Amino acid sequence: MTRSPDPQPPQNTRAIMGFLREHAPFSFMDEAHLAHFAEHAVLRFYADNDVVLSPDDGAVTEFQIVKQGRVRGERTNQKTGEPETTFEISQGECFPLAALIGERPTRTLHRASGDTFCLSLDHDSFVILFSESDPFRDFCLRGVSSLLDRVNQHIRSGAMESIGTSHSLDTPLERFALRNPIVCSPDTPVRKAVARMHENNVGSIVITDEARRAVGIFTLRDLRTIVAEGDASLEIPIAQVMTGNPMCLPAHADAFEAAMQMAEHHFAHVCIKDDEHRLIGVVSERDLFSLQRVDLVHLARTIGTATHLRTLVSLRSDVSRLVDTMLAHGADSGQVVKIITTLNDVTVRRVLELNRQRNDPEISFTWLTFGSEGRQEQTLLTDQDNGILFSVPEGMTEDQVREKLLPFAESVNRDLAECGFTLCKGNIMASNPKLCLSGREWDEWFIRFIDASTPQNLVYSSIFLDMRAVFGPSGPLEDLLSKVLTRIQKNALFQKMLAENALNRRPPLTMFRGFRYAPDGAPHTLDLKRQGLAPFVESVRVFALANSVEEANTLERIDRLADKGVFDKKDANAWKEAYSLIQAIRMRAHQDLLDKQLPLSNFINPDHLNPLDRRILRESFRQAQRLQQKLEVTYQL
Amino acid sequence: MLNSVKAWLNRHRYTHPGEGELPHPKPLRDQPLDQTRLVVLDLETTGLNPARDQVIAIGAVVIHGNAIDLRDQFDLILRRPELDISETVLIHGIGPEALTEGHETEDALVHLLEWLDGDPILAYHSAFDKKFLEKTVRQQLGYAMGHSWLDVAELLPLFFPKAETGGRGLDHWSEYFGLQASTRHHAAADAMVTAELTLIVINKALKEGVTTLAQLDEKLRHWRKLNNMKQY
């Protein structure tokens, strides 16, 4: 029957449209497409345990949505021969997308869990919707990831409201780049180069060779230095005063990469090159952050050159404002935690430098950070976990060195606390004599740690096995790390205990697909850090350590593990997405609390999330369950 | 659907087919439960007395191949009591100006009979709907053939004797199975819930080896006898 021009479709059609409208991706679809769906659907019933769809049914022809009840995927465990549940599909969710798109039979037996009703659409109607509705097609092809984009858009637009600006940090650099940048050859006199800058009203000039490759950059700031120092003539060739080997990025790199490079190295300009390394443009800090009051590069530079602790403390509020800005610019959660970590690193380094200026212990040492700071996964809520790895000068004992370093460390810990890095309750700080050790002592410390795997040690594994050097030479840490990794790799028992420990924190899902609330928070809340992120961080750590992955960052560890073939590429992506999403929701909650001037907390009430976020959060927790399952299978737990 | 109703109305307005041309009801024979077309129907009436009260709305959905097929449904409001236009019939979605006085109810009923196509009808407390519908088609069209009816209110306790529903109403059973009516006391919405319950019944019946309409009818008669005996 044809669709009626009547504005009011029949009651039952309207009811089904109403149901669809409550669930993504249908909630993003046009009314006409929803009506098409509702008018062509068929409703089926499956009693508990009935087979809904089987690999024996042949190529899948119907698109189905759970209207009521649940459908679970069942595969036979190769080892035990027992059926096990691989996934669960609940109200408003669709199946079997991959098989339907691939026009093949499903690989998983689908069974009803409890009395279940499913709406299904035949192949012809599915094809019509697929070709006519963009959100629907996007969803079918990309599944839950397409919804993830929606969530990110949502986070972005929320932050946008408070900032009001335009472009995204994912934008390729070439869009920002000044085309036909002002250039000169290395032998151009400084005066002539500056005149050219002045004529074109720009702040920088790139020095190129015959092949148009950037060999140096000269900025107004360099000119200021020449003039202030007053000893160089303006007639000398620019090659003598330019900054050589300027930072260059390919055109397809994105704005975020450029911003991070600038912040890390305190540069204000990046050259854009083509595949043959020829200069095609220049991007300045101001191009990237033209509309903002606080910018990352400037902030990093201000922190890095602050001369008083006071200044550092006052700059911390800018960091929070910057996070808001970054979210508005479309930085994803992974980017934002990196920004926070970068700025925290700059702050830690500056605190160390200021302390050394005041009272230099005159000992070569490496400042270590552990835990989330070590993983570069800090959010605004962070405490100190640090230590010192020192080398022993000839003629001194380890205790003598420690005696010199401990007062210094104590002062650094105190200053960091003033900057907002809360003192560590467990005293995991460099001022603790047990954590201010020489390379040899650290090595022995780790031998004890790995061999005597006491429950207490295992609790500490999340701290000490994620470490990174923030200040001082990195060589000593690399040596230590390679010894530690080799030891863990050889110690299957320790790995197994780590794996067991990682399974202690289960994702907060109940058997009935509800949320399992945190035992220690306010009623109906989830702990996003301990219940949400920890299962990922801890499981990934076990795989990373067992496979000599040196990175401490969870996302980077997942990448390396996928490179090494330990993780399936698709799984790795799903886990990264899920992890990032929980992190994003956590950060958004932090920003909200800051706005309301409330203390930061990792607890959220899922009822306060919109239905899409809630669903994605549940989907993310389910991915954590899958990751833990992999751990169980690998270590036969 | 409504377009086709309209088109049909225009075509048949002054040439009603006689009873002989209307589809004949099909008895409950060996039609397979999971392949035959079954109509699940619900009427809204002005009251409970078939002798005095009128049908206001007819809602019906079709179960075919063990599924409710939303492409094949019937949703018609015959008369709105709040408007109280005694002989005027407002057919849902069709403006009054398109209708000529006097024939609308007939048109709608003829269309209903054609749409039913003589297929068995299921309803909740079907005796009620059966009386009202048969009275109406007899009075309006002189159509006196009886459809085969099955009562979902009987089928449910037959197949789920242990269910503790706390009552025998449609609401009790839908609550028991966690079903939700999109709106209450709307003919089409109630027909939908009744059809969902029917799907649950068919699922159970097939598992118990009841595969044809005749077997279902037989089982129902047996259950009624037992029930009557229990009462004495």
Side-chain angles (χ1 to χ4, degrees):
Chain A
M1 294 194 181
T2 52
R3 207 173 119 44
S4 108
D6 189 322
Q8 282 279 70
Q11 170 61 26
N12 289 322
T13 310
R14 264 182 294 156
I16 288 174
M17 289 170 70
F19 165 77
L20 292 172
R21 222 174 276 130
E22 284 171 26
H23 300 278
F26 311 104
S27 44
F28 308 117
M29 284 165 60
D30 293 346
E31 285 291 289
H33 295 142
L34 288 184
H36 177 88
F37 195 119
E39 283 168 357
H40 291 81
V42 156
L43 185 70
R44 278 184 228 283
F45 171 74
Y46 304 94
D48 188 24
N49 270 324
D50 277 3
V51 171
V52 177
L53 190 66
S54 151
D56 306 330
D57 293 345
V60 171
T61 55
E62 285 189 334
F63 173 82
Q64 308 215 50
I65 306 172
V66 177
K67 180 159 179 281
Q68 184 187 328
R70 281 173 292 148
V71 170
R72 64 172 193 270
E74 201 175 274
R75 269 183 208 182
T76 312
N77 185 313
Q78 301 290 353
K79 266 186 291 179
T80 62
E82 297 278 309
E84 54 183 29
T85 300
T86 54
F87 54 77
E88 273 194 325
I89 305 160
S90 66
Q91 196 180 51
E93 298 180 4
C94 321
F95 64 97
L97 286 174
L100 184 64
I101 302 286
E103 297 182 328
R104 58 165 172 81
T106 174
R107 296 192 179 121
T108 315
L109 185 71
H110 289 61
R111 242 184 227 289
S113 272
D115 289 346
T116 300
F117 283 90
C118 295
L119 276 171
S120 70
L121 204 58
D122 64 26
H123 195 258
D124 290 350
S125 304
F126 171 77
V127 168
I128 291 176
L129 273 190
F130 186 83
S131 57
E132 288 185 2
S133 168
D134 292 342
F136 186 69
R137 182 173 49 248
D138 200 28
F139 176 78
C140 293
L141 293 175
R142 299 178 50 221
V144 177
S145 331
S146 76
L147 300 184
L148 219 59
D149 287 352
R150 299 262 175 191
V151 175
N152 281 334
Q153 272 171 22
H154 178 74
I155 291 174
R156 214 172 282 176
S157 61
M160 287 279 216
E161 277 166 28
S162 58
I163 309 291
T165 178
S166 54
H167 43 244
S168 145
L169 275 181
D170 291 336
T171 314
L173 272 182
E174 48 189 341
R175 292 233 211 115
F176 290 99
L178 174 74
R179 291 290 170 162
N180 301 319
I182 306 306
V183 295
C184 64
S185 57
D187 53 6
T188 314
V190 174
R191 184 189 303 279
K192 212 170 157 192
V194 171
R196 199 173 292 173
M197 288 161 73
H198 182 68
E199 279 160 27
N200 291 283
N201 196 22
V202 293
S204 64
I205 189 163
V206 183
I207 293 86
T208 51
D209 62 11
E210 305 81 33
R212 209 178 156 76
R213 281 185 297 234
V215 294
I217 191 161
F218 183 82
T219 67
L220 287 179
R221 205 183 329 176
D222 297 325
L223 177 66
R224 200 170 63 195
T225 315
I226 297 178
V227 174
E229 287 173 0
D231 49 3
S233 147
L234 292 183
E235 304 308 327
I236 58 167
I238 195 148
Q240 290 181 23
V241 288
M242 70 182 187
T243 308
N245 296 321
M247 182 164 67
C248 283
L249 286 171
H252 54 75
D254 60 27
F256 178 73
E257 214 173 318
M260 290 307 287
Q261 291 278 343
M262 288 181 187
E264 184 88 31
H265 303 292
H266 299 186
F267 291 143
H269 294 85
V270 181
C271 297
I272 315 299
K273 58 185 185 183
D274 64 12
D275 293 340
E276 266 98 54
H277 302 288
R278 284 177 309 220
L279 180 75
I280 51 176
V282 176
V283 173
S284 76
E285 170 192 348
R286 210 175 298 156
D287 295 332
L288 291 184
F289 301 99
S290 52
L291 298 168
Q292 294 166 232
R293 255 177 272 126
V294 187
D295 90 57
L296 171 64
V297 184
H298 180 74
L299 186 56
R301 189 159 46 229
T302 316
I303 294 174
T305 55
T307 47
H308 291 94
L309 184 65
R310 265 199 325 276
T311 324
L312 282 178
V313 174
S314 70
L315 284 169
R316 296 301 292 174
S317 64
D318 289 348
V319 174
S320 150
R321 211 160 354 127
L322 180 75
V323 170
D324 232 359
T325 315
M326 284 297 154
L327 287 171
H329 273 72
D332 65 29
S333 63
Q335 292 173 335
V336 173
V337 289
K338 276 213 165 151
I339 289 168
I340 295 175
T341 309
T342 302
L343 292 174
N344 284 350
D345 283 358
V346 177
T347 308
V348 172
R349 276 184 211 128
R350 193 59 192 160
V351 165
L352 281 159
E353 278 160 8
L354 288 176
N355 267 284
R356 209 157 62 168
Q357 279 171 19
R358 260 204 325 264
N359 173 24
D360 192 347
E362 289 169 337
I363 302 283
S364 164
F365 68 89
T366 308
W367 186 265
L368 305 175
T369 62
F370 307 112
S372 66
E373 201 181 347
R375 288 191 302 273
Q376 300 176 277
E377 286 163 12
Q378 279 175 303
T379 56
L380 294 170
L381 178 61
T382 187
D383 57 1
Q384 299 189 36
D385 286 321
N386 45 43
I388 283 178
L389 163 59
F390 59 76
S391 41
V392 188
E394 249 176 80
M396 276 180 92
T397 67
E398 279 153 341
D399 283 335
Q400 282 170 333
V401 175
R402 207 168 357 258
E403 219 167 285
K404 273 177 160 261
L405 279 171
L406 284 176
F408 171 81
E410 215 166 291
S411 160
V412 172
N413 285 145
R414 220 173 24 240
D415 286 356
L416 286 174
E418 274 200 57
C419 290
F421 300 87
T422 332
L423 290 169
C424 174
K425 291 187 201 102
N427 199 18
I428 299 170
M429 291 190 291
S431 55
N432 178 348
K434 289 179 188 156
L435 299 175
C436 179
L437 306 173
S438 70
R440 189 186 60 83
E441 287 172 325
W442 271 115
D443 193 34
E444 282 173 4
W445 190 95
F446 272 106
I447 292 176
R448 284 197 305 276
F449 184 87
I450 293 166
D451 288 348
S453 345
T454 63
Q456 184 62 28
N457 278 357
L458 288 170
V459 171
Y460 282 145
S461 64
S462 69
I463 300 167
F464 294 111
L465 294 176
D466 299 335
M467 63 177 166
R468 193 166 57 92
V470 171
F471 182 87
S474 56
L477 178 65
E478 281 160 22
D479 292 346
L480 175 64
L481 214 53
S482 76
K483 284 183 210 157
V484 171
L485 281 174
T486 317
R487 221 162 264 139
I488 293 178
Q489 232 187 323
K490 284 184 191 152
N491 192 332
L493 183 68
F494 182 69
Q495 287 178 28
K496 188 162 178 164
M497 290 183 80
L498 271 185
E500 261 167 355
N501 186 57
L503 292 175
N504 282 341
R505 292 225 179 99
R506 293 290 183 172
L509 288 176
T510 64
M511 268 177 66
F512 301 105
R513 295 194 38 103
F515 290 115
R516 189 161 44 77
Y517 299 111
D520 47 350
H524 280 261
T525 57
L526 301 173
D527 185 336
L528 288 179
K529 185 179 175 190
R530 274 188 280 170
Q531 292 183 288
L533 296 172
F536 284 101
V537 172
E538 311 217 325
S539 306
V540 168
R541 177 186 307 112
V542 180
F543 285 113
L545 294 173
N547 294 283
S548 29
V549 169
E550 286 189 15
E551 279 78 3
N553 181 273
T554 303
L555 294 174
E556 285 170 13
R557 279 175 168 172
I558 296 178
D559 277 338
R560 286 300 87 70
L561 287 164
D563 292 345
K564 288 178 178 246
V566 180
F567 288 168
D568 172 78
K569 289 260 185 231
K570 270 192 201 152
D571 282 348
N573 277 333
W575 291 331
K576 275 166 63 182
E577 275 181 349
Y579 174 83
S580 305
L581 185 100
I582 300 173
Q583 188 71 277
I585 290 180
R586 175 179 175 222
M587 275 185 321
R588 196 175 47 191
H590 283 178
Q591 291 299 125
D592 285 350
L593 290 170
L594 276 181
D595 284 350
K596 293 179 190 144
Q597 307 204 314
L598 293 170
L600 294 185
S601 142
N602 288 315
F603 290 93
I604 60 144
N605 183 338
D607 297 342
H608 298 166
L609 296 173
N610 68 42
L612 177 59
D613 282 356
R614 214 166 28 236
R615 172 159 164 212
I616 297 278
L617 193 60
R618 212 174 47 199
E619 179 67 31
S620 304
F621 291 152
R622 210 190 298 169
Q623 291 296 341
Q625 285 179 330
R626 288 190 50 235
L627 178 56
Q628 290 193 336
Q629 275 166 11
K630 185 170 171 70
L631 203 59
E632 284 168 342
V633 171
T634 310
Y635 289 97
Q636 297 172 359
L637 294 170
Chain B
M1 185 188 80
L2 290 163
N3 257 358
S4 65
V5 175
K6 212 188 235 172
W8 190 91
L9 285 176
N10 286 331
R11 222 171 40 242
H12 292 271
R13 181 148 300 149
Y14 303 108
T15 54
H16 280 156
E19 189 178 287
E21 298 165 45
L22 284 165
H24 285 251
K26 299 161 192 166
L28 304 174
R29 295 248 174 82
D30 56 355
Q31 303 99 308
L33 256 187
D34 56 355
Q35 284 167 41
T36 193
R37 180 175 181 268
L38 301 167
V39 173
V40 184
L41 174 137
D42 187 76
L43 301 179
E44 298 296 319
T45 60
T46 53
L48 297 173
N49 186 345
R52 202 180 52 232
D53 293 312
Q54 305 284 322
V55 175
I56 304 169
I58 305 170
V61 296
V62 161
I63 295 182
H64 203 173
N66 224 344
I68 299 170
D69 190 339
L70 291 155
R71 292 165 290 200
D72 193 5
Q73 49 174 311
F74 198 91
D75 185 355
L76 207 61
I77 295 168
L78 291 176
R79 198 172 77 87
R80 288 181 178 151
E82 72 271 18
L83 296 177
D84 198 28
I85 311 165
S86 54
E87 277 302 306
T88 310
V89 174
L90 291 174
I91 294 181
H92 181 67
I94 299 175
E97 72 281 0
L99 302 169
T100 327
E101 204 183 319
H103 296 280
E104 297 80 11
T105 307
E106 284 176 33
D107 285 331
L109 291 172
V110 167
H111 178 63
L112 175 65
L113 287 172
E114 295 224 313
W115 180 80
L116 288 173
D117 198 26
D119 286 325
I121 305 171
L122 291 102
Y124 202 89
H125 292 314
S126 60
F128 174 87
D129 301 87
K130 181 172 188 277
K131 272 185 203 142
F132 267 96
L133 192 67
E134 287 183 348
K135 178 202 83 168
T136 311
V137 293
R138 196 173 52 242
Q139 284 178 355
Q140 300 277 339
L141 304 175
Y143 181 93
M145 291 187 283
H147 282 78
S148 306
W149 289 75
L150 286 164
D151 191 351
V152 181
E154 285 184 327
L155 290 169
L156 283 161
L158 163 60
F159 284 103
F160 299 93
K162 288 185 189 137
E164 287 174 16
T165 53
R168 291 188 295 171
L170 179 61
D171 287 350
H172 294 112
W173 281 100
S174 20
E175 195 173 316
Y176 178 76
F177 285 110
L179 308 180
Q180 276 180 337
S182 57
T183 54
R184 296 173 61 86
H185 303 299
H186 181 293
D190 282 350
M192 187 70 181
V193 172
T194 310
E196 289 176 3
L197 290 168
T198 309
L199 284 184
I200 296 175
V201 165
I202 295 177
N203 180 288
K204 191 72 186 290
L206 292 170
K207 282 178 186 154
E208 295 186 4
V210 178
T211 55
T212 67
L213 287 176
Q215 284 171 352
L216 189 65
D217 195 34
E218 178 56 36
K219 202 169 162 93
L220 206 50
R221 280 168 207 275
H222 184 67
W223 177 80
R224 259 185 232 130
K225 248 183 244 166
L226 273 178
N227 247 20
N228 286 337
M229 275 159 59
K230 269 188 219 157
Q231 286 179 5
Y232 298 107

